[in-house]
Structures are given as C-alpha cells and as structure tokens.
C-alpha cells in the first residue's frame, strides 16, 4: 500500500482537497492527511500549528476560529496557487469512498489530545472506521483513540528506536518507523507480533524497491508518481 503524503505535492499545495484528488487521479489508493484543531473545535488539514502569510506569523491555529483561517488561505502556496485549508470533513466528502485515509494527529505536547475526541466523532459520524488509520507521534493520542473506539486502527509514528517499546503499552495496530530505521529484523519483529509496518517517508526508486522486497505493508511517499511504476 502506498500513501500519498499530504497529497500530490509536485502539482498542488499540500494537505488540500486539490492535492489529494490529484494524487488519486494518478493512482493513489491511500492518502496521508495531517490534522490540527482550531479554537472553535474544527479539525482542519494542516501540518503546522501556526498560520503564516509569507514570512509573517498570523498566529496559532488553536487560537483562531476557522472562519478567519478560511479567509487567510495563505499557508499553502505553490507557484502562486493558493488553496483553502480544508476541514477534514471536506476531504472525506470529496474523495472516492474506496480511498483509504491515514490521518496523522498533530499535537503540541504529550497531553494535547483533546483533538482526538472530535476526530473519533467525525470518523464515526461518517461511518469510515473501516478505511481510516489514525497515526501520531504522540502515544497518548493513540491510547485515547483506542479508549474511545477500539475498532479504529492506529499507527505509532517514531523516529527514535528507543521509543519502539511504547507499542507494548499503547497497543497500536501498526508501527510507522522513519525510513532510516527499517531493517530486516524490524520487519520480522513486527510480522511476528501481528503488527503492520508503514514506513515514512520514501521517495526514490532504490529505497522503494528495497522496502517492497522486505515486505513492509505500507510506504508513505511525497511523490505518488511512483504509483505509476508500483501499483498498489
């Protein structure tokens, strides 16, 4: 399984509906979406906790209402192409039903997990638990997800191997290691324990070939054009 990381970044601004649809158009059957929460409890697609206009800081997303953020439309630019920061619900409603979604929850600290409650509500209200994976670097966010709904699949993101032991505490369905951490032993370790392994972020033919031969379950890539060579 290949996940289009924030959509199709070569042609469209990241984490926008246009970017996700472009990735799906060329063959992506799964997308990776970053989410944060606004002051008025909207879950929006953004990799950053702060809103900028050019180099000027406008403020923290969690302290702004979505009505203001919608007017700004400044965070995403690509060759003067400006796109609206969408709500997660907009993405869910506009992508094909068969497209799987890896939703990465962005938090500012270990206890910053209230976003999860609203996210779980959105997942259940839209009846998409069967095609969603909730991932995060924050183990408490994943624990809380499972506490609210054990049927929602979770993926533990990590970039330091010393944190892998946390999987034994939060019991995710998947582990998401940084590409440089992947070894044959790690893949075997995960398979032996019934854990799926999705790797981030792999962008070239050599690494994608190697990871595919190792038997990883998913590859998160910034360049979904590789899907043309490596069908899901």
């Amino acid at each position: 399984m290949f996940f289009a990381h924030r959509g199709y970044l070569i042609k469209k601004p990241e984490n926008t509906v246009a970017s996700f649809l472009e990735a799906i158009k060329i063959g992506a059957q799964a997308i990776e979406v970053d989410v944060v929460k606004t002051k008025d409890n909207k879950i929006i697609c953004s990799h950053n906790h702060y809103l900028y206009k050019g180099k000027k800081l406008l403020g923290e997303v969690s302290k702004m209402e979505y009505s203001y953020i919608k007017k700004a439309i400044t965070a995403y630019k690509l060759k003067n192409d400006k796109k609206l920061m969408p709500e997660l619900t907009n993405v869910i409603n506009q992508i094909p039903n068969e497209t799987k979604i890896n939703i990465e929850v962005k938090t500012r600290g270990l206890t910053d997990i209230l976003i999860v409650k609203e996210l779980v509500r959105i997942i259940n209200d839209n009846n998409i638990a069967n095609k969603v994976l909730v991932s995060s670097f924050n183990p408490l966010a994943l624990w809380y997800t499972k506490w609210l709904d054990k049927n929602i699949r979770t993926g533990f993101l990590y970039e330091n191997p010393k944190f892998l032991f946390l999987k034994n505490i939060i019991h995710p369905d998947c582990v998401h290691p940084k590409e440089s951490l992947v070894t044959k032993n790690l893949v075997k370790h995960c398979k032996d324990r019934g854990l799926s392994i999705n790797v981030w972020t792999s962008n070239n033919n050599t690494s994608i070939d190697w990871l595919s031969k190792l038997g990883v379950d998913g590859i998160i890539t910034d360049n979904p054009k590789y899907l043309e060579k490596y069908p899901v």
Side-chain angles (χ1 to χ4, degrees):
M1 175 71 70
F2 284 81
F3 296 87
H5 189 216
R6 307 180 202 167
Y8 193 5
L9 307 190
I10 292 176
K11 288 190 175 182
K12 299 293 180 180
E14 67 176 42
N15 276 318
T16 61
V17 172
S19 186
F20 298 130
L21 291 178
E22 190 70 23
I24 293 166
K25 179 180 177 181
I26 67 161
Q29 294 186 10
I31 58 174
E32 189 266 2
V33 183
D34 301 314
V35 296
V36 296
K37 185 167 70 70
T38 66
K39 181 180 178 180
D40 51 338
N41 213 35
K42 301 291 187 181
I43 306 298
I44 67 171
C45 301
S46 174
H47 181 73
N48 303 310
H49 291 289
Y50 296 92
L51 185 66
Y52 288 86
K53 183 176 182 180
K55 294 183 179 180
K56 181 182 178 182
L57 175 64
L58 297 180
E60 190 174 345
V61 170
S62 64
K63 296 178 180 178
M64 299 178 180
E65 293 191 350
Y66 185 55
S67 58
Y68 174 79
I69 294 171
K70 280 198 299 187
K71 293 176 182 177
I73 61 168
T74 54
Y76 301 119
K77 293 183 179 180
L78 185 68
K79 296 180 180 179
N80 297 317
D81 185 10
K82 295 183 180 181
K83 299 294 181 184
L84 177 72
M85 275 188 182
E87 289 186 65
L88 177 61
T89 52
N90 296 145
V91 175
I92 292 169
N93 290 332
Q94 293 189 57
I95 64 172
N97 289 332
E98 63 271 17
T99 303
K100 298 186 181 300
I101 313 173
N102 172 14
I103 303 172
E104 182 183 340
V105 177
K106 312 296 287 189
T107 65
R108 293 162 297 171
L110 193 61
T111 59
D112 179 28
I113 61 173
L114 291 181
I115 183 176
V116 171
K117 186 175 182 180
E118 179 63 14
L119 176 59
V120 169
R121 185 194 67 76
I122 290 171
I123 290 171
N124 287 327
D125 284 355
N126 287 276
N127 195 28
I128 57 171
N130 63 321
K131 72 170 193 174
V132 162
L133 171 66
V134 174
S135 62
S136 184
F137 284 98
N138 187 336
L140 281 184
L142 300 181
W143 173 86
Y144 190 32
T145 301
K146 283 292 190 186
W147 186 80
L148 290 170
D149 190 334
K150 65 181 180 180
N151 295 316
I152 296 176
R153 300 180 73 242
T154 57
F156 179 44
L157 282 154
Y158 71 100
E159 55 185 337
N160 188 325
K162 73 179 183 181
F163 293 129
L164 182 58
F165 82 94
L166 288 170
K167 72 180 183 350
N168 301 317
I169 300 173
I170 61 173
H171 304 293
D173 299 281
C174 318
V175 292
H176 292 190
K178 187 177 182 179
E179 181 187 66
S180 60
L181 300 180
V182 179
T183 64
K184 291 181 180 179
N185 286 338
L186 176 62
V187 174
K188 184 178 186 302
H189 176 86
C190 292
K191 298 292 186 182
D192 289 348
R193 288 157 179 78
L195 290 167
S196 297
I197 178 169
N198 301 315
V199 183
W200 61 279
T201 303
S202 187
N203 293 323
N204 62 72
N205 284 319
T206 301
S207 61
I208 288 175
D209 277 336
W210 181 70
L211 290 169
S212 298
K213 289 176 182 176
L214 281 183
V216 303
D217 297 281
I219 297 173
I220 300 167
T221 179
D222 285 322
N223 190 350
K225 283 199 71 175
Y226 284 118
L227 295 175
E228 298 172 3
K229 181 178 180 182
Y230 301 90
V232 177

